[in-house]
Amino acid sequence: MANNDKDAPNRVDGILKVTGQAKYIAEFRLPNMAYGYLVPSTIARGKILAIDTVEAEKQAGVIKILTHLNTPKFAQNERDKSHRPLQTDQILFSGQAIAVVIAETFEQARFAARLVKVSYDQQPPQTDIRKILDKAYMPGQARPIRGNPPEAFENSEVKIEAEYTIPIEHHNPMELHASVAYWESNKLTVYDKTQGVTMVRNHLSGIFGIPKEDVTVLAPFVGGAFGASLRATPNVFLTSLAAREIKRPVKLEYSRRQLFAAHGYRPYSIQKLRIGADRSGKLKAILHETFNNTSSNEDFGENLVGISRTLYACPNVFTESKMVKTDLQTPAPMRAPGTVSGAFALESALDELSYKLKIDPLELRLINYAEVSPEDGKPFSSKELRKCYQDAARKFGWEKRNPEPRSMKEGKWLIGWGMATGTWGAGQGTASARITLKTDGTALVESGTTDIGPGTYTAISIIVAKNLGLPLEKIKFVLGDSSLPQAPSQGGSNTVSSVGSAVQACSQIVLKKLFDLAAGDFKEAAFEEVKIENGKFISKDGKSLSFVEILKKNNLENVSETHTSAPNTGERGKYAIASHGAQFVEVRIDEELGIVRVSRVVEMTASGKIISPKTAHSQEMGAVVWGIGMALTEGTEIDHRYGKIMNPNLAGYHVPVNADVFDVQTAFAEEQDKIVNPLGAKGLGELGMVGIPAAIANAVYHATGKRVRDLPVTPDKLL
Ligand code: MOS
């Protein structure tokens, strides 16, 4: 399957999106709505001594200013140590929300926000984890040690020992965090930019002490999230509180600058990696130790080492993950969290090893191919990684590669070819869905999931259309509403496997119910024997009856069923379950300027069954673009003297744009996998990014002979 499936369905919400009919949170307007604007702290650590709102309150249009002095206090539950604004005078990080100005218009609120005067008891912040690595700690349990890693490393014929660093990176989705909230007596309704409407509903119900049924959270469209909205962001609490205080609907939106202190970030990480191999290339030992920063109030650990335990066959493995407290906001999952960072280290180190051994980097991976799970010897439920390597290499023309660094030039351009492996889980959560077949011949599908952009509207509609035997345009999928049947937050690339499994099973239940209503008409025909086509049951003897006719005959307006699907943990537990991929990258480097262009990428992915070919290819291309950003441009700069982010904007924090993206070819090695779930789909999204930063850094080495171990690979590091 290649990315030219012209006949595959288009994105079902595409027209709504490109014509502006898809409404994002800050676009919702309610009668009598007021506007909130945040005041951020200007220090990173200390206490508020005084907060003076007199001048601000005098301004035109200002309705109320909330600070910790006049805000009701809400009990925090023991397990949730997340920062909740306006509850105390404590400052935990720079940019923390310390007041909300509520006014008649957005401009009035923003103007008055600048007139709030604050004085602080300022303490020196510590935001540089390199200075305090000796304070690193390991929460929770150590991972088991496989074999005897130190000895095996010591005795290895060839060794690599290297340190890799990745800076803080901020999710920068197009849509900013925003909420619109209103109360009707004790019932709260909130439009919120989130990856999980149920999660936000539970959060608000917990804080305000009201039943879950009295909170409705809506997120019909989400303009990107990347993990930034897997937890409730402070705006949803602040907006709901403001609406309660002034007894009017309130809208609050973060600015791009404020967003950098809104939801966390990929933490800063340091990885110390030691790899030992014999002369034939067989891995003997992997020792992978990592550090990442967290906040002063919460432990946020990233799993950077999982990939070192599972990707290659290796008898001796030691991994350890530690964290260091800093005066920064709590980090958050971001775009293939942990795994992409670990892969940058492991896949760079394997590349370094390949040069030392004079073995082709692809060949080295095949030598160490894990036929079964290296962790516990379980068989893989499916694993077409070998096919990914081989087909992608052929497509890329890898056999024409001259292994010598700096050997491939074209005019002023140094050309480099690099490769890496990707892997991701294939998780499934418990999800519910309702399907209602109607007399107008359409099916309404409802589930409280979200679509943050990957194409959930499309993929789920395709599954239902196929299972109900209806044309795609007869399916209407409604999501992003906490009052619908419950589904997990959209995260971990799990939505197709979770919600897709629910709608597939629910489709069968609806059909069976319809068939039973018509059983008399079909004489002997059993449900299993009838064909389902274009809204009709067709029996072997050619008798056909449409769904609509059955409903009408029975005087029914519809047939509606709700179903919950859970993962088959028993069966899944017998196997190692993962998705895989191979990535080949060409870079062109202007040596005088140090500019790196990713001129060509071939990405081949094995992730079970592909449900929606077009959006699947878009997922993989998007993942490559994420990887280009991580490899070459993204990094949050902090002035450690003040604990302050210096580039909280898109001018200083560079994400790739169209001009940075050239030829990206994606392809899938489909797997038949009935273990992972009945759909056979493992999910897509994060997987496609995992190997890309390493593949790019490896290509940069091949082009220049310079090994860059600290991301991003900016021109200054190549000059
Ligand atoms: Mo993702 S980091 O699972 O939103």
Side-chain angles (χ1 to χ4, degrees):
M1 193 188 279
N3 50 354
N4 55 2
D5 292 288
K6 297 234 164 48
D7 300 330
N10 289 327
R11 196 177 276 266
V12 297
D13 49 341
I15 296 203
L16 291 180
K17 283 186 168 171
V18 298
T19 56
Q21 296 173 76
K23 252 179 154 181
Y24 294 90
I25 300 305
E27 296 177 309
F28 285 92
R29 276 162 200 255
L30 300 171
N32 198 31
M33 188 172 77
Y35 293 79
Y37 199 84
L38 297 175
V39 179
S41 75
T42 55
I43 68 160
R45 181 170 164 235
K47 272 185 180 169
I48 299 168
L49 291 178
I51 190 157
D52 174 2
T53 56
V54 174
E55 189 63 23
E57 270 160 3
K58 279 190 212 150
Q59 302 307 311
V62 173
I63 300 162
K64 184 162 186 151
I65 300 178
L66 295 173
T67 70
H68 70 285
L69 297 171
N70 64 357
T71 296
K73 301 298 176 283
F74 299 89
Q76 191 120 352
N77 100 34
E78 255 312 290
R79 280 172 305 145
D80 176 13
K81 297 204 172 70
S82 65
H83 165 66
R84 195 173 294 162
L86 309 192
Q87 297 293 290
T88 72
D89 56 1
Q90 290 281 334
I91 302 296
L92 300 178
F93 56 92
S94 179
Q96 176 183 323
I98 54 171
V100 181
V101 177
I102 312 160
E104 295 294 339
T105 70
F106 170 78
E107 289 77 10
Q108 288 169 335
R110 184 176 59 179
F111 178 73
R114 294 169 59 172
L115 301 174
V116 173
K117 296 185 194 77
V118 188
S119 62
Y120 301 97
D121 167 18
Q122 186 172 354
Q123 301 296 321
Q126 183 52 272
T127 53
D128 186 356
I129 85 166
R130 314 198 128 270
K131 296 237 170 76
I132 44 172
L133 271 190
D134 56 320
K135 298 204 177 101
Y137 61 99
M138 188 167 51
Q141 289 223 313
R143 289 186 174 83
I145 296 170
R146 190 187 307 159
N148 189 344
E151 196 185 296
F153 178 71
E154 215 37 61
N155 298 334
S156 291
E157 291 171 308
V158 186
K159 293 174 194 159
I160 296 290
E161 191 160 1
E163 185 173 308
Y164 302 87
T165 58
I166 299 173
I168 284 178
E169 295 166 4
H170 272 83
H171 326 59
N172 263 290
M174 279 172 59
E175 187 186 16
L176 299 162
H177 296 295
S179 312
V180 176
Y182 64 95
W183 293 79
E184 287 163 311
S185 70
N186 281 330
K187 294 194 173 161
L188 172 61
T189 303
V190 187
Y191 294 89
D192 186 43
K193 185 254 164 86
T194 182
Q195 292 173 247
V197 286
T198 305
M199 176 271 297
V200 171
R201 180 198 67 179
N202 295 350
H203 169 78
L204 293 171
S205 142
I207 293 180
F208 291 107
I210 52 176
K212 287 175 183 170
E213 312 80 75
D214 290 353
V215 182
T216 306
V217 178
L218 303 161
F221 291 95
V222 181
F226 315 136
S229 302
L230 280 171
R231 290 223 289 198
T233 41
N235 49 293
V236 69
F237 159 63
L238 291 172
T239 314
S240 306
L241 177 67
R244 198 178 77 165
E245 290 295 307
I246 69 162
K247 301 186 168 52
R248 285 171 61 175
V250 173
K251 176 193 291 188
L252 189 154
E253 187 184 17
Y254 274 79
S255 67
R256 179 66 55 179
R257 171 176 286 268
Q258 290 172 346
L259 172 133
F260 279 75
H263 60 250
Y265 46 83
R266 189 193 303 287
Y268 191 101
S269 64
I270 299 171
Q271 305 185 64
K272 296 174 195 285
L273 197 57
R274 283 174 287 165
I275 291 187
D278 66 17
R279 284 266 159 230
S280 75
K282 273 234 174 284
L283 292 174
K284 292 291 165 204
I286 301 175
L287 295 92
H288 191 172
E289 294 160 83
T290 71
F291 302 86
N292 72 259
N293 83 288
T294 185
S295 60
S296 60
N297 57 309
E298 281 182 289
D299 288 342
F300 180 90
E302 280 224 301
N303 180 6
L304 297 98
V305 300
I307 192 163
S308 287
R309 307 185 66 93
T310 57
L311 195 53
Y312 298 110
C314 179
N316 302 288
V317 177
F318 171 79
T319 63
E320 188 175 77
S321 315
K322 289 184 172 171
M323 61 181 79
V324 185
K325 285 194 189 300
T326 51
D327 296 309
L328 291 165
Q329 205 188 2
T330 305
M334 180 193 183
R335 304 182 338 211
T339 308
V340 68
S341 304
F344 171 61
L346 180 67
E347 290 295 274
S348 292
L350 238 71
D351 200 63
E352 299 196 34
L353 183 64
S354 77
Y355 286 94
K356 237 181 174 173
L357 288 164
K358 297 197 188 316
I359 293 177
D360 178 86
L362 170 57
E363 181 59 27
L364 183 62
R365 270 117 181 139
L366 291 168
I367 289 170
N368 293 290
Y369 195 84
E371 303 288 352
V372 295
S373 164
E375 195 77 310
D376 48 26
K378 286 179 185 170
F380 286 97
S381 64
S382 58
K383 182 180 177 182
E384 289 292 343
L385 176 58
R386 200 186 300 277
K387 182 170 168 56
C388 290
Y389 283 138
Q390 286 161 350
D391 289 8
R394 194 176 316 119
K395 214 168 155 166
F396 187 85
W398 186 255
E399 79 285 354
K400 294 199 273 300
R401 179 177 184 265
N402 181 337
E404 204 52 43
R406 303 183 66 86
S407 62
M408 294 166 65
K409 271 194 184 177
E410 224 180 88
K412 67 168 183 177
W413 298 99
L414 290 174
I415 295 175
W417 287 4
M419 59 85 56
T421 315
T423 185
W424 189 250
Q428 184 187 349
T430 298
S432 304
R434 178 165 57 227
I435 298 181
T436 306
L437 253 174
K438 301 181 180 179
T439 45
D440 63 2
T442 65
L444 173 66
V445 185
E446 298 167 291
S447 179
T449 181
T450 53
D451 183 347
I452 62 175
T456 304
Y457 275 110
T458 308
I460 300 301
S461 299
I462 289 173
I463 294 168
V464 176
K466 190 161 166 267
N467 278 278
L468 289 181
L470 287 175
L472 188 58
E473 57 278 11
K474 299 283 184 194
I475 310 298
K476 182 175 169 54
F477 183 27
V478 176
L479 52 71
D481 180 340
S482 64
S483 62
L484 297 176
Q486 200 166 312
S489 295
Q490 181 152 73
S493 308
N494 287 352
T495 307
V496 162
S497 62
S498 309
V499 180
S501 294
V503 298
Q504 172 162 282
C506 195
S507 301
Q508 292 308 312
I509 295 168
V510 166
L511 286 179
K512 179 76 171 60
K513 190 164 173 190
L514 259 184
F515 182 80
D516 288 347
L517 287 169
D521 293 302
F522 279 115
K523 305 273 166 8
E524 258 80 278
F527 180 61
E528 293 73 29
E529 285 170 10
V530 292
K531 265 208 310 197
I532 292 149
E533 218 175 78
N534 208 8
K536 292 186 184 106
F537 292 112
I538 304 167
S539 67
K540 265 194 191 147
D541 53 15
K543 183 173 166 65
S544 92
L545 202 54
S546 79
F547 304 161
V548 174
E549 286 171 287
I550 298 171
L551 289 173
K552 285 186 172 160
K553 271 192 173 179
N554 287 276
N555 285 322
L556 291 171
E557 271 167 28
N558 61 58
V559 163
S560 185
E561 288 291 327
T562 303
H563 177 75
T564 301
S565 281
N568 184 346
T569 43
E571 198 57 22
R572 283 174 63 106
K574 296 178 197 156
Y575 295 85
I577 292 181
S579 52
H580 295 91
Q583 285 112 23
F584 293 81
V585 166
E586 176 184 276
V587 296
R588 289 172 174 248
I589 300 177
D590 180 325
E591 206 179 11
E592 281 175 17
L593 299 174
I595 291 170
V596 181
R597 292 205 191 294
V598 179
S599 47
R600 201 155 61 86
V601 179
V602 173
E603 163 147 78
M604 186 144 187
T605 296
S607 191
K609 186 175 163 58
I610 301 306
I611 301 292
S612 167
K614 280 187 182 166
T615 56
H617 286 299
S618 295
Q619 281 291 281
E620 295 304 280
M621 283 191 281
V624 170
V625 176
W626 286 354
I628 293 173
M630 184 170 181
L632 299 181
T633 61
E634 289 182 67
T636 299
E637 306 282 347
I638 294 168
D639 185 331
H640 295 302
R641 292 171 302 172
Y642 310 108
K644 208 177 167 103
I645 295 171
M646 302 309 289
N647 57 342
N649 49 64
L650 292 175
Y653 186 97
H654 294 163
V655 294
V657 296
N658 276 344
D660 300 310
V661 181
F662 296 87
D663 181 15
V664 180
Q665 297 175 46
T666 65
F668 295 99
E670 280 215 45
E671 295 166 324
Q672 304 301 321
D673 191 331
K674 289 295 167 200
I675 303 299
V676 65
N677 55 49
L679 267 179
K682 292 180 177 174
L684 287 169
E686 296 170 280
L687 167 64
M689 179 195 196
V690 171
I692 296 293
I696 292 173
N698 295 344
V700 167
Y701 177 78
H702 183 235
T704 63
K706 277 192 183 151
R707 179 66 64 181
V708 181
R709 300 187 186 88
D710 54 328
L711 292 180
V713 185
T714 42
D716 54 298
K717 294 175 188 170
L718 297 177
L719 290 174

